[in-house]
Amino acid sequence: MLFSNINRNEVTHNLENSQYDVLIIGGGITGAGIALDAVTRGMKVALIEMQDFAAGTSSRSTKLVHGGLRYLKQLEVGVVAEVGKERAIVYENGPHVTTPEWMVLPFHTGGTFGKYSTSIGLKVYDFLAGVKRSERRKMLTADETILKEPLIKKEGLNGGGYYVEYRTDDARLTIEVIKEAAARGAHLMNYVKADRLIYHDGKVVGIQAEDQLSGGRLEVRAKKVINAAGPWVDSIRKMNGSLSKKTLKLTKGVHIVLDQSVFPLKQAIYYDTPDKRMVFAIPRDGKTYVGTTDTFYQHDPRQPKITKEDRNYLLSSIHYMFPTVNISEKDIESSWAGVRPLIYEEGKDPSEISRKDEIWESDTGLITIAGGKLTGYRKMAESIVNLIAKKFKDEHDRLFSNCLTKNMPISGGDVGGSKNFSHYKEEQISNGKKAGLTMEESEQLLSVYGSNAPILFRMIEEDGQEAERYEISILLWAKLKYAIDCEMAATPTDFFYRRTGALLFDIKTVINNKEKVCNYMAKIFSWSNKEKAAYEKELEEKIKVAASPSQED
């Protein structure tokens, strides 16, 4: 069966007529990781997400699978050690969605980091994170730092640290984990909102929910229910009557995107701000993106808005560290904001609150996981599924295996490991050319879709004429058809935002193709005129939000 909303009625039927071991509420990276871990141990797994998969925090990060260098400053050694080691695992299991990115950390007189603290900090970082020899830190002189990135502020520059982080597409990483869980037998569905918990003998045994696309109602039942709803974790706990003791505190992070023509950054930089925070500036596909802010947030987490203060803060940080870069608000091409669901610590500023994850269990048996980082998703999943496995052993005398995901490629990652990925692409380019693509087009699809790219090649060979009928470029059509048939995309926004990232990094393509994509999806899903108009309106609003420099709260 395709992993597609074309089969939505069949998926709904399965959810309603199955008794699951585990039901997960939340389809971000945490829920996705739990689903994959649990299903590969032999558990019968269901997952529901009230929006699209990865629509919340998991598509709004800094797009880095990073080890949390700044947490060394807060002496969170355990966090650095764990997520640092996980970076390499995430990369190895999905080299098509994760790429090593050498980063320069410049240090200036009076800055947060000095030469000695940077050297020691990065050395400790390498040790804690288990960084392989070829990616261990190097120390640069001031001249070497400028050679790496000539735009860096030269006044007071004393040198730089040179170390590796891993760049990712957070939404695609989440989708690939979701797809792997589905391929291994988990039942997962987006646009299903849990609005009531079901109890038996005082214990949570399922949810009642509303299908956000059809308006229909459904029930899903399971022996164990996991609340992995990210920013909405506390709303599920409130529904359960277990919102007490520790609660979430949402903080907002904002990023802006500029074209390389106005900010020609050639080297990723992790740099100081005047208020002693740290910000990333990262080149990506002809753009430079900069972030992030860190402020408390109390509004609707579904669409956090960018304020003038957010925008000006990032522009000021650029002017501070890259004084020759002459940019203003009008140069911001697109932007995004996301919220971090952190565990509240009284008296701490947003940047000081720990990114550690915690697991809570209520008297009714609802298991909640909160906090954590994108990088540590697999370990978070392992912890919570270990807990569930123990409960099944104690309560039902059922045994499940230990965690199997450490050396398990996610969907698209079956390329023989990160070292073999380039060779895999070289081998497969001929199949792309056979489908009529150029070498560059073939390489592009292979780089994004990994071992799933041959599926797109076959689609082009067999049905590529559809692209001409809808006047869509062959590459965009292939991505669209694959997103619909194999990635559960239900709306144009799903496609342009979370399946391709074009809404953030190639907004002109979205504007030029929005009507064609809407027409194609309307035909595939048999939308009424009213439904089509609603999805078109939603996309227009998302374009407006992404392209507007600021939207006041």
Side-chain angles (χ1 to χ4, degrees), residues 391-406:
K391 287 183 177 296
F392 275 118
K393 180 183 177 183
D394 294 344
E395 297 168 11
H396 306 284
D397 200 28
R398 289 179 63 192
L399 297 177
F400 293 102
S401 71
N402 293 328
C403 178
L404 301 171
T405 59
K406 185 174 181 179

Side-chain angles (χ1 to χ4, degrees), residues 421-464:
F421 188 31
S422 294
H423 181 63
Y424 175 85
K425 287 191 284 187
E426 289 172 11
E427 286 182 329
Q428 290 294 330
I429 277 175
S430 60
N431 289 327
K433 293 168 87 172
K434 184 182 170 188
L437 299 176
T438 65
M439 180 180 290
E440 291 74 18
E441 290 169 334
S442 304
E443 206 277 336
Q444 184 191 134
L445 291 183
L446 284 159
S447 294
V448 174
Y449 296 95
S451 57
N452 288 321
I455 300 173
L456 283 84
F457 296 157
R458 284 197 298 275
M459 287 176 170
I460 292 168
E461 263 196 293
E462 295 169 6
D463 299 308

Side-chain angles (χ1 to χ4, degrees), residues 30 33-34 37-38 41 43 82 86 226 357-360 367-369 376-391 402-403 405:
T30 304
I34 295 166
D37 191 312
R41 297 199 204 193
M43 297 178 190
E82 183 166 291
E86 281 298 302
I226 299 174
D357 57 279
E358 289 192 34
I359 297 170
W360 309 315
I367 299 169
T368 294
I369 186 162
Y377 85 87
R378 196 196 65 82
K379 287 297 289 185
M380 291 165 65
E382 181 178 354
S383 296
I384 204 164
V385 181
N386 281 347
L387 173 65
I388 292 164
K390 184 176 186 306
K391 287 183 177 296
N402 293 328
C403 178
T405 59

